[in-house]
Each structure stands twice: as structure tokens, then as C-alpha cells.
């Protein structure tokens, strides 16, 4: 258990060579590929070692030329994308939302066969135990009794409710199955929760950048979005939110505290608690999107806002689409004190969630293996994050900054400010590569030179070549 | 093909016996069970023969005592439930809708194991080829490529869109696959269509009684319902609707022109066309709920409002839940000129409809057998309608009137006016029998002495005994 990982050993050796003067300041060190061949270690090991040395300020990467020993060994500035700042009065204003058309159009391009799905919002489906879930579904269909068709009325199938509650317990949150309402994916859960707590014309506080599904929910219900500055490492600025609440009524707040899409941060526990306490002081409901919660890279499941919720103001939404199977679109809400309203709205919105998928997932969770599957996925994503960060910084021109996700599978990339990411998106598409343009992550016209990249697919020559091409296009657009 | 059905032969023999004086006016004829044994024909045959003779005015049924030769052979008054009439000014007023809580509560009781599901809105699931669809689903899951997870974005999987269009063509309606948007059941389709054409506070014209899902859609969006008198045989009173539209703005109209739930009528073609022309004159969108369209008892698929739609004002909604499988909750909308809005709202509401169910149903439709399956179901429902009508009239007290559904699988029963159907519902439930109280089919406090009965299950001693018990309870409550 306490074995030092290979990449650390390798990094330590390299650090020793530098200390010993074998490698001099300013000198270029072996490329990842060559080092991997020379030392007979995997590309991943080399990349992680280089990342570690970079983070220690021992080496530095020069875009498109490789790694170099630093002139003076000092802590490196982290190349994180810059935060939106509360630097002008426009921040104080809520806005109407109309981003769905653009999002739908870009998502559809991801569907096209043969594209390299760097712009995809979905995790690589090959990672999912779909076969096992499908086998359970088949068995359930064969043995279905006549009454079983009725089990899918809200709140949902009792076995699934129980299994979800059990899973929360394993992750340190005590949940009564009765608190849960099954939905068609987290999308429906978020929609129902928002409708339960606010009405058309109301102002909803959101992170910026924010996952577009949050903006969709606001758009669908004719509400207004108030974008709150959000730190790429600490999440929504609770102080800024509190300030803004003094100037205008805020009906609710929607956040993704763990591994936010697109930033990838994990809000510190203290910030989570601070947000919930603020909500309590103002009786403001908080909708928590927790779909990436299971995809942490750390040692344990991060806490949810729900862990700090004493008054039922947190409406927690999640799904299995990012952790087990997206084919069935099974999600849920734990709406706290708004449970009755959410259950009723679920009934009105889609009547019922299909039975067989609910029971198949419940059976999978009962039989076990979910945690083992997740451990494998988490390890893969953590490695692929390192590779994606490494190669973006290598292939993209100077001025590029990348996030450092703590979970999930997307990277947020700030390009040189001259780059029009929508134009980049279109040029990439012409080459059979998708990227998600930053524009879709805001209600207002922000993030014009940002993109989001998906790293849920195993690293391959195809992905590396695609990324290199994207880097070239970025360079063209930057000049 | 031109073979005379057995029940007609049997009816003709019986009619001849009456004409010949073998059976005299006022004389009791053999009970269904005894006649079935005597003549070695099925109970169904006897019931249909008796029904035919009754409709010809040759015999008559006396509640709880059986069939008798009529005193004078004359056309019988049809025992149809009475129509709500435009007889007081309250008709002119639209109302807020809040019926979902009651509906959800009653639907949940149907879930209880071991109840006799006379109150169920669902067709008997044993009639569905669920196994075959599940086999396709299993095969699709096994062979799923990585890209296949993206196919479920709106408007839906191309194969399914094509198969649905083909099916319409077979039924005489030319549809472009591009007109269709796949949804989570017809419930979501109706919700999206209504949201596309009207806004909170608007008035929506509905049939009365109406299927509660229509009322739910209105309630969910904070609109108002305007109930239009609806004939149990001809459907919504188009003239009355036109009159009411003179007194107030009506944003849209929602109807179920074929085999309406709960009345079971099929609107005459001329009335369908008249409604669409009225809509055209006023640029009023009409939402058509077509979920029972495939369950006709006649010789051919009835026309839809969509057949008369020249200007794209008909938003046609349907699903496979009543005709093929309810386990997957696959529905669709053909929203005419509102297609783009509906597709966008679908995306906002639930993002996507699960892929595997879409592809499994598409595969089923491609492989063939749907029409054969439907013919079997239609035959069964037509026979079971006759049995249910027969036994209701036999077991229920005088003053009971029943609808004569032309398709689908529900019977609308008017009880003696003293009967409180909610109380009946509760007493039945205590005996393990469900009935659907009429109250849930109106936004206003109507149909207090009506119930709806489901006849999709094959006739059995258990159902017959249950119905007898219900009849007894009705009698108690009537006095």
C-alpha cells in the first residue's frame, strides 16, 4: 500500500540528475516518447513524472518544444485558466437565457460518426459495465409479472430507492429511501427541482462558467440567470454571492460543488458549509448537481452540500449516466423539504421513469461490483487527465492555460485571447474533431477564447494527433 | 373473409326462435353461462349475440336478472352515459387545474399487489410482445458501438423515426421522419407541445370528461382549462367550442379524437375536419392525443386530425405504451409548424430519450409482426368490451348507463346519481378492487357518480366476481 509509485521514483531519479548537474538549467530533457523508450516505462509514467517535476518547479514545459530544466528551481506558477472577476457593473445584472440552440447544435456534431470526441460531454461508454446491466434487464423482462409495470410511478422502484440510499451511506451520507425521487437523468431532476422552488421571471444564481444544463433549466422555465464569479479551484465565490443578494432577490442557487463541468474543481468543505449556511440565513434553496461525485481522484468520496444541510434547503440531483450507464438515463433528486412538490412535478412531467432500467440498475447495485468498477474508472481518468494536460501544454501555443480537475473527465482550456473558439470549433469539425466552445457555458457572451476537452477515452495516437491538429489551428487563430 | 361470425349465426337463430314464437315477449332467455353450455359456444359468442339482439331491439337486459324477450320489438334506447350539457353559465368559465394529487394517489393504489385492476389506466401487459422487444434490446446492448450512445439526442434515433413514419404511411398518413420528435412517453410529448404553443395563464380548451394527463399538462404549466361539452359518441362539440371562442381567447385545444379515454368514442371524420378548419380560421393550435389510435375495433385505422391538417396547426402526440410496450416509455410528437420549438423543449426537459429502447422498438418494427400482434389485441379488446358492458348492466342497479367504446380498453359508467364514486372507490379498494373515480377526469367538480373500468384483461371468474361485488357496493350507495 505504501509503495512509492513508479512515476515518483522516476521523477526523483530525474530530479537527482538535475541536482547532480547531469542535466543543466535551460537544457532540453528527453521527450515523453523517447524517455519512455529509454527507461522502459509507460508514457503515462513519464508524463506524471514530468508533471510532478513541473509542479515542484524543477522543470518547465515550453509549448511545442518540450520540457526544459528550469533556470532557477522555484515554485512554478500554475497555468490555471483565469477566473472571471467581478470587475465591472455588468456582473450585478441577471440576464435572460437563450443558449440551448447553440448547445444542441454543437452536441449534434459530436454524434457524427468518426469524429474524435474531444468536445463530447459524455464519458467513454466502453468503460461502463453495460453488458452486465443489460443481462439483468433481460432477466427482469423475462420474469416480469403483470403488476411490475406499475412500479415505475413516482417516486420510483423501491429496490432502486433502497440501493441509492445504501450507496450514499457508504459515501458517508445518511439518506432515507423516502427522500429520493427517480427521474429521467439528472436533467429532469434539475428541471423539476428548479420548478419546485422558483417561478418564471425569478433570478437564479449560477457559477460561471457553468454547465449548460443548468442554464437550460433556467431558460426552459423563463427565469433569469445571475452569474457569480467562480474560482477554478475553490468554486463559486460565496462572498460575492452574498454581496449580490443584497442588491437583488435571488430565488435559488444552482451549483456543482464536486468536479464542476467545465472547471473540474472540488469546493473545499469549508466553502460548501459556508454556502449552505448562507442559504439558511436567507431561506434560499440550493440545487446541487452531483453527477460527477463518484469520479473523484482523491482517497475518498468528497462531501456534498447535502452533508451540511440541516433545514432541507439543498435539492441534491444526480444520476448513473456518468458512473454506470448512460443508456438508461436514470437519475434522481433528493429535494429536501421540497420533496412532495418534486414528486408531483415528476408525475406531471413524464408520468413515470421506465421500470426495467430502474430494476436492472438496482440489481447491479445489489449484486456488487460498483465500487470496483468505479476505482478502475477513477484511476483511468486521473491518468488521462495528466496526459491531456501535458499534451495540451505541449501542442498549444504560449498563453494557453489549463485547469487541474480533481475529478470527472473534462479539461477547461483558456486559449490566447485572440482565438475565437467558435471559429476553432468549426475548423476542428471540418477536420473530424470536436471541441466544446466556451461560449456554451455562459448565459452572457463570455468564454469566447475557451474550450472544454474530454479526456475519458484512453490515450491513443489518434487522440494525440487530433490534439496536435487542434494546437496548430489555435496557433493560426492566435496570430 | 366474408364468413359470418359465429355470434351472428347464433343471434340469427335466436331471433328466428323469437319470431317463430318459441320464445315469447317478456320471457326470460337463458343466461350467458347456461346458453354457452347448451349451445357449446363460448361465453363471448353468447354475449356478442345478446348484445346484437339487444341493439336490434329484440331482447333487453334487466339489471341483475338477465335477458328477456322485449314486449314490442323496437329499437332499444342505448344506455349511454349522459353528456355534460352547456346548460349553465359556469360552462363559460375557464378554471385553474389541481387534479394531479388525487390522480397520483389513486394510481398508486393500482400498484398494490393482488388488487383487481378495474381502475387501471394501463393495458394488460401480458398482451405485449415484451420478450421479443427485450431480446432486441439485449442484442443492441451487446453490439453497441461507442458512438451509439449519442444517437438519442433529439429528435431521436433515425431508425425509429423512419419506422414510425412508415407505420403512419401504412395507416394512410404521409409523414416525413423529419417531422417527428421522440419523447419519454406521450406524457412528455403533450407537455412539450403545450408549452410550445401557450404560456402560463392562457386558456386551453379540453373535452369533458377528459383524460387527466391533458389536465396535468395544463396544471404543470399554470394554464387554465376550459371544458367543452363532449358527446360520448361524436366527441368534442365543435359548435360549442366555436361559441366559447367568441367570448374569450383560447390559446389551444387538446383532444383525443380516437377512442378517447374515458369515453371511447371515435369522432366522425366530418367532425374531425370541422375541428381542424375551425382551428385554421382562428390560427389555434390543436394538440391531438393519439395513443389509442391503433386499438380500433373497426376495419381500418381511423383518420387522425393530422389527416386534415393543411397548415401545420395540429400537434399530434402518440406512444407505443398502449400498443407495443409500456416498459420503455417511448412516445413521440409530430408538432407541425411548432417542430423546432418542441425539439428544443425536449432537449431542455429530459435531454435525450434512452437509446436502447428506441433502437429495440425500431428493430421490432423492422422485423415485422406489429400488425399481427395488434389484430390479436384488437379482437381481444372488442370481445372483452362486450363482456364488460354485459356484466356491468347485469350486476349494477337500474339507472346505470355504459359507454360503447369503438376502440381502446376502458368503459365509462354512469352510476345512479346518488352514488358517490369516491366513496365507491374507497370501499372497493378495501376489498382489493380498484375502480377509477370519475372525479379525476375533470378540472371542475364533475362526474361524482361516474367510474371508469378497464377491460384489457381476459375475462375470468375473478373479474366477474369483482364486478359483482362492485355492483353490490353501487347498489348500497345508491339507496
Amino acid at each position: 500500500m505504501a509503495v512509492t509509485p513508479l512515476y515518483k521514483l522516476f521523477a526523483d531519479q530525474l530530479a537527482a540528475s538535475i541536482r547532480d548537474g547531469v542535466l543543466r538549467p535551460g537544457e532540453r530533457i528527453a521527450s515523453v516518447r523517447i524517455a519512455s523508450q529509454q527507461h522502459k516505462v509507460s508514457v503515462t509514467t513519464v508524463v506524471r513524472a514530468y508533471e510532478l517535476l513541473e509542479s515542484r518547479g524543477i522543470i518547465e514545459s515550453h509549448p511545442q518544444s518540450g520540457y526544459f530544466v528550469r533556470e532557477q528551481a522555484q515554485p512554478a506558477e500554475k497555468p490555471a485558466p483565469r477566473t472571471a472577476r467581478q470587475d465591472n457593473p455588468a456582473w450585478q445584472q441577471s440576464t435572460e437565457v437563450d443558449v440551448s440552440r447553440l448547445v444542441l447544435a454543437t452536441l449534434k456534431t459530436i454524434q457524427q460518426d468518426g469524429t474524435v470526441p474531444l468536445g463530447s460531454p459524455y464519458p467513454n461508454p466502453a468503460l461502463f459495465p453495460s453488458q452486465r446491466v443489460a443481462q439483468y434487464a433481460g432477466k427482469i423482462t423475462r420474469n416480469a409479472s403483470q403488476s411490475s409495470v406499475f412500479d415505475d410511478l413516482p417516486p420510483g422502484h423501491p429496490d432502486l430507492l433502497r440501493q441509492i440510499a445504501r450507496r450514499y451511506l457508504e459515501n458517508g451520507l445518511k439518506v432515507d429511501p423516502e427522500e429520493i425521487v427517480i427521474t429521467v437523468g439528472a436533467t429532469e431532476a434539475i428541471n423539476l427541482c428548479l420548478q419546485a422552488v422558483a417561478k418564471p421571471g425569478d433570478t437564479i444564481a449560477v457559477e460561471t462558467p457553468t454547465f449548460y444544463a443548468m442554464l437550460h433549466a433556467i431558460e426552459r422555465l423563463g427565469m433569469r440567470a445571475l452569474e457569480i464569479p467562480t474560482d477554478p479551484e475553490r468554486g463559486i465565490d460565496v462572498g460575492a454571492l452574498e454581496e449580490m443578494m443584497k442588491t437583488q432577490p435571488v430565488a435559488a442557487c444552482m451549483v456543482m460543488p464536486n468536479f464542476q463541468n467545465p472547471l473540474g474543481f472540488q469546493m473545499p468543505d469549508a466553502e460548501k458549509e459556508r454556502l449552505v449556511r448562507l442559504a439558511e440565513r436567507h431561506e434560499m434553496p440550493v440545487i446541487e448537481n452531483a453527477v460527477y461525485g463518484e469520479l473523484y481522484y482523491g482517497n475518498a468520496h468528497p462531501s456534498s452540500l447535502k452533508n451540511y444541510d440541516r433545514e432541507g434547503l439543498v435539492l441534491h440531483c444526480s444520476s448513473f449516466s456518468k458512473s454506470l450507464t448512460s443508456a438508461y438515463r436514470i437519475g434522481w433528486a433528493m429535494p429536501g423539504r421540497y420533496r412532495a412538490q418534486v414528486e408531483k412535478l415528476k408525475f406531471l412531467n413524464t408520468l413515470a421513469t421506465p421500470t426495467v432500467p430502474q430494476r436492472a440498475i438496482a440489481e447491479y447495485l445489489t449484486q456488487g461490483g460498483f465500487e470496483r468498477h468505479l476505482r478502475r474508472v477513477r484511476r483511468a481518468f486521473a491518468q488521462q487527465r495528466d496526459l491531456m494536460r501535458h499534451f495540451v501544454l505541449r501542442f498549444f501555443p504560449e498563453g494557453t492555460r489549463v485547469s487541474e480537475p480533481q475529478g470527472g473527465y473534462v479539461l477547461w482550456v483558456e486559449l490566447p485571447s485572440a482565438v475565437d473558439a467558435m471559429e476553432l470549433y468549426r475548423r476542428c469539425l471540418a477536420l473530424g474533431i470536436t471541441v466544446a466552445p466556451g461560449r456554451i457555458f455562459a448565459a452572457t457572451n463570455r468564454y469566447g477564447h475557451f474550450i472544454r476537452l474530454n479526456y475519458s477515452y484512453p490515450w491513443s495516437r489518434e487522440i494525440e494527433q487530433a490534439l496536435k491538429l487542434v494546437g496548430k489551428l489555435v496557433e493560426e487563430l492566435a496570430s
Side-chain angles (χ1 to χ4, degrees), chain A:
Chain A
M1 284 306 152
V3 174
T4 309
L6 188 58
Y7 78 93
K8 279 204 177 138
L9 292 174
F10 181 61
D12 289 344
Q13 281 172 20
L14 205 62
S17 306
I18 292 167
R19 209 169 42 236
D20 298 349
V22 179
L23 286 163
R24 307 275 174 110
E27 201 168 339
R28 194 168 191 278
I29 59 176
S31 77
V32 170
R33 204 165 289 279
I34 288 171
S36 146
Q37 286 161 5
Q38 284 176 341
H39 300 279
K40 306 219 185 312
V41 292
S42 74
V43 168
T44 310
T45 302
V46 179
V47 165
R48 298 192 72 182
Y50 284 13
E51 288 274 322
L52 185 63
L53 293 172
E54 199 183 3
S55 75
R56 291 185 191 159
I58 295 168
I59 65 172
E60 60 189 0
S61 68
H62 292 180
Q64 291 173 302
S65 41
Y67 280 98
F68 295 80
V69 179
R70 274 185 83 96
E71 294 294 336
Q72 324 102 287
Q74 64 188 17
E77 186 205 7
K78 278 198 193 171
R82 275 163 297 185
T83 325
R85 295 272 171 224
Q86 210 179 334
D87 49 6
N88 83 50
W91 275 104
Q92 302 284 342
Q93 279 158 32
S94 67
T95 47
E96 286 190 358
V97 179
D98 182 21
V99 73
S100 66
R101 212 171 289 270
L102 178 62
V103 176
L104 183 54
T106 56
L107 281 186
K108 279 191 174 180
T109 62
I110 294 162
Q111 255 180 285
Q112 291 168 11
D113 273 343
T115 53
V116 183
L118 299 176
S120 174
Y122 306 110
N124 172 10
L127 293 167
F128 292 149
S130 315
Q131 290 314 329
R132 248 186 78 201
V133 183
Q135 277 163 15
Y136 295 135
K139 211 173 90 185
I140 287 158
T141 309
R142 278 191 299 281
N143 303 332
S145 74
Q146 296 196 350
S147 72
S148 60
V149 76
F150 307 131
D151 288 333
D152 51 8
L153 280 178
H157 196 283
D159 290 351
L160 182 58
L161 298 174
R162 212 157 33 234
Q163 287 300 324
I164 291 173
R166 193 173 66 87
R167 180 74 199 153
Y168 276 107
L169 197 63
E170 286 168 5
N171 287 331
L173 184 61
K174 198 170 154 13
V175 169
D176 186 325
E178 306 250 307
E179 295 175 49
I180 304 166
V181 178
I182 304 295
T183 56
V184 179
T187 305
E188 188 182 37
I190 290 166
N191 274 316
L192 303 179
C193 286
L194 188 58
Q195 190 172 1
V197 300
K199 56 184 193 310
D202 278 357
T203 293
I204 312 300
V206 294
E207 298 152 331
T208 184
T210 188
F211 180 44
Y212 46 74
M214 310 290 232
L215 297 173
H216 290 166
I218 295 171
E219 175 181 340
R220 170 177 166 274
L221 292 163
M223 299 171 184
R224 301 175 66 82
L226 178 64
E227 300 185 311
I228 308 294
T230 299
D231 185 87
E233 290 176 358
R234 301 173 58 80
I236 193 165
D237 184 336
V238 181
L241 171 59
E242 187 159 21
E243 283 306 306
M244 289 205 208
M245 288 171 71
K246 288 176 186 161
T247 69
Q248 60 201 295
V250 173
C253 174
M254 301 178 89
V255 290
M256 203 184 263
N258 291 319
F259 324 128
Q260 193 239 22
N261 180 349
L263 291 173
F265 60 76
Q266 174 179 335
M267 268 178 96
D269 285 356
E271 288 299 297
K272 286 173 181 161
E273 183 164 11
R274 200 174 150 213
L275 178 58
V276 176
R277 295 297 160 257
L278 172 66
E280 285 174 359
R281 283 198 300 283
H282 296 267
E283 283 260 321
M284 175 183 68
V286 180
I287 296 169
E288 172 177 37
N289 183 337
V291 294
Y292 300 103
E294 294 278 19
L295 304 179
Y296 54 86
Y297 306 156
N299 295 320
H301 197 289
S303 70
S304 299
L305 294 187
K306 202 74 189 165
N307 291 69
Y308 306 99
D309 183 26
R310 300 176 299 203
E311 302 187 8
L313 282 164
V314 174
L315 298 95
H316 178 102
C317 300
S318 196
S319 85
F320 290 110
S321 295
K322 309 291 185 281
S323 59
L324 179 57
T325 170
S326 64
Y328 291 142
R329 298 202 49 63
I330 297 293
W332 64 92
M334 290 199 291
R337 63 164 81 160
Y338 305 96
R339 192 198 164 288
Q341 291 97 305
V342 169
E343 178 177 338
K344 185 177 133 179
L345 287 168
K346 161 64 194 177
F347 181 60
L348 295 182
N349 195 45
T350 49
L351 185 59
T353 307
T355 314
V356 172
Q358 289 191 62
R359 296 181 58 201
I361 291 177
E363 181 67 14
Y364 175 87
L365 295 174
T366 307
Q367 295 293 333
F370 190 37
E371 184 57 33
R372 197 167 57 243
H373 147 70
L374 285 171
R375 273 201 300 269
R376 202 166 46 84
V377 171
R378 288 175 200 134
R379 258 200 313 272
F381 286 172
Q383 282 188 7
Q384 286 155 213
R385 171 198 63 177
D386 293 340
L387 287 157
M388 184 60 90
R389 293 187 80 229
H390 167 74
F391 283 105
V392 167
L393 290 172
R394 168 136 172 236
F395 293 144
F396 284 36
E398 203 146 352
T400 298
R401 305 163 79 93
V402 295
S403 62
E404 191 165 0
Q406 301 304 301
Y409 50 82
V410 295
L411 194 70
W412 183 239
V413 183
E414 180 178 359
L415 306 171
S417 60
V419 178
D420 174 356
M422 281 306 300
E423 180 58 25
L424 176 66
Y425 158 76
R426 284 185 287 267
R427 292 198 192 175
C428 287
L429 200 57
L431 299 175
I433 303 164
T434 63
V435 299
R439 181 71 189 76
I440 64 178
F441 300 94
T444 49
N445 195 7
R446 295 183 211 274
Y447 311 114
H449 63 291
F450 288 75
I451 56 172
R452 188 196 62 185
L453 298 175
N454 180 314
Y455 55 79
S456 68
Y457 292 82
W459 201 256
S460 65
R461 177 157 289 274
E462 188 196 14
I463 290 179
E464 194 172 317
Q465 292 305 315
L467 202 66
K468 205 168 187 171
L469 274 172
V470 178
K472 276 217 177 90
L473 290 173
V474 171
E475 202 167 5
E476 283 170 33
L477 288 166
S479 57

